[in-house]
Amino acid sequence: MGGNESVEVTAGIWGFLVLFGLALACWFLFRSMNAHLRKMTFQQREQVPENTRTAGARSEESPVPPEDDDPIGSARH
């Protein structure tokens, strides 16, 4: 069609800024997610001894079948 065919089209500074902003937002998101996951595992470790103490007290009072351990985790949290 004529014209100069050697012209290159690039994203320029705006493309870089958008990509950098997305990368920065992902970094903050992953950092927050990691902190929440650490908090959940810490709370779960604290609950395990409490559950074993209460299960021992319940077994002395009346025989109650133990709850099934769910290794995957369920929506009961």
Side-chain angles (χ1 to χ4, degrees), residues 19-70:
L19 187 62
F20 184 76
L22 286 172
L24 192 62
C26 286
W27 183 75
F28 280 117
L29 180 68
F30 294 151
R31 185 175 161 195
S32 174
M33 180 183 65
N34 194 14
H36 284 287
L37 288 175
R38 284 183 184 164
K39 184 178 175 182
M40 284 178 51
T41 56
F42 181 71
Q43 288 175 352
Q44 187 176 14
R45 287 180 188 159
E46 286 181 345
Q47 288 177 356
V48 170
E50 291 174 6
N51 289 342
T52 55
R53 277 187 248 132
T54 57
R58 269 192 265 142
S59 64
E60 293 172 3
E61 295 171 4
S62 64
V64 176
E67 296 179 10
D68 292 337
D69 289 337
D70 191 3

